Amino acid sequence: MSNERQKTRVEKGAWICLYGGLLAVVLGVVFQRQGPDTADLAGIFLVGGGLVAATGVGLIGLRSVMK
């Protein structure tokens, strides 16, 4: 059985991952528009940010089933 502290920790982590990942995706789009010099960096931000945001969504799902 999970206690309130675990629920709070999962919830905070979920929102941090979600918003941090979305911020990284936005930065990736900005770098992508700067030109071909920053294409590699943009790809890293887009993929990494997407993975972190997806992790946040997964943590939200985990938090919803915690009792």
Side-chain angles (χ1 to χ4, degrees), residues 28-49:
V29 171
V30 169
F31 285 137
Q32 195 174 32
R33 292 182 180 204
Q34 295 300 315
D37 294 338
T38 59
D40 292 337
L41 184 62
I44 291 170
F45 271 96
L46 288 170
V47 172

Side-chain angles (χ1 to χ4, degrees), residues 2 10 15 48 51-52 56-57 61 65:
S2 1
V10 169
W15 291 111
L51 289 174
V52 172
V57 171
V65 297

Side-chain angles (χ1 to χ4, degrees), residues 13-14 16-22 24 46-59:
I16 289 170
C17 286
L18 187 63
Y19 284 118
L22 291 177
L46 288 170
V47 172
L51 289 174
V52 172
T55 301
V57 171
L59 286 173

